[in-house]
């Protein structure tokens, strides 16, 4: 518990819980609204910390993968700010770990799933379904 309190305090002291770039943050979300919350944006990430200051390696990996694909506009919710949100999202998705990624309201998975999708090319296709062109497609064109 002390670790959680210290991490949250560091996050709040750094000002990371405010608007940063294109990602949006909420301090507290009623559990009944999680279904609505994951549908609000094309890409939603529940993570430890913020995209500007991830508080764990797995959350950082998700941010880096999205950044590599040029996904700059997404909702990011810092679960360290709200214990109810942290536990509620795990129940909602039936997935025990954070971070959690949603595309168009559908649960995609955690860091391991997103990394696998990135490595095998599925992420480019899934982003295309969302109307998001992966920056990696442009990189591949330039290399040819």
């Amino acid at each position: 518990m002390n670790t959680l309190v210290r991490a949250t305090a560091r996050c709040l002291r750094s000002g990371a819980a405010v608007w940063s770039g294109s990602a949006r943050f909420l301090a507290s979300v009623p559990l009944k609204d999680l279904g609505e919350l994951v549908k609000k944006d094309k890409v939603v990430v529940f993570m430890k910390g913020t995209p500007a200051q991830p508080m764990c390696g797995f959350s950082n990996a998700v941010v880096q993968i999205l950044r590599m694909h040029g996904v700059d506009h997404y909702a990011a919710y810092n679960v360290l700010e709200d214990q109810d949100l942290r536990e509620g999202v795990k129940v909602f998705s039936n997935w025990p770990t954070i971070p959690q990624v949603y595309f168009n309201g559908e649960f995609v998975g955690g860091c391991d799933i997103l990394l696998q999708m990135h490595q095998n090319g599925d992420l480019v296709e899934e982003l295309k379904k969302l109307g998001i062109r992966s920056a990696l497609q442009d990189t591949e064109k330039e290399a040819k």
Side-chain angles (χ1 to χ4, degrees):
M1 184 65 163
N2 287 337
T3 305
L4 174 64
V5 171
R6 282 194 301 273
T8 303
R10 277 195 308 269
C11 184
L12 293 175
R13 277 196 306 270
S14 72
V18 297
W19 177 266
S20 172
S22 302
R24 288 186 284 141
F25 307 96
L26 293 180
S28 180
V29 178
L31 295 180
K32 64 183 180 177
D33 293 336
L34 282 173
E36 298 282 325
L37 190 62
V38 298
K39 294 176 185 171
K40 270 181 124 170
D41 292 272
K42 290 180 180 181
V43 179
V44 175
V45 180
F46 294 94
M47 61 184 291
K48 293 178 182 176
T50 67
Q53 188 174 9
M55 301 298 282
C56 85
F58 298 112
S59 292
N60 185 46
V62 165
V63 169
Q64 294 305 318
I65 292 167
L66 292 174
R67 188 173 293 149
M68 199 179 315
H69 284 269
V71 180
D72 297 322
H73 303 286
Y74 60 94
Y77 299 97
N78 183 356
V79 299
L80 296 178
E81 292 181 347
D82 187 331
Q83 189 64 29
D84 290 337
L85 177 62
R86 184 178 187 170
E87 295 308 315
V89 74
K90 292 177 186 179
V91 172
F92 178 77
S93 65
N94 197 27
W95 190 262
T97 59
I98 303 292
Q100 294 187 10
V101 179
Y102 291 79
F103 290 165
N104 271 349
E106 295 291 321
F107 179 61
V108 175
C111 175
D112 54 343
I113 303 298
L114 201 66
L115 179 59
Q116 183 180 24
M117 291 174 68
H118 164 70
Q119 290 172 336
N120 68 21
D122 289 346
L123 186 54
V124 171
E125 294 305 312
E126 290 301 314
L127 292 173
K128 191 182 294 184
K129 291 177 187 174
L130 300 174
I132 299 172
R133 181 174 173 79
S134 171
L136 292 183
Q137 289 178 294
D138 298 331
T139 305
E140 288 172 4
K141 274 186 182 177
E142 291 170 9
K144 291 180 180 179

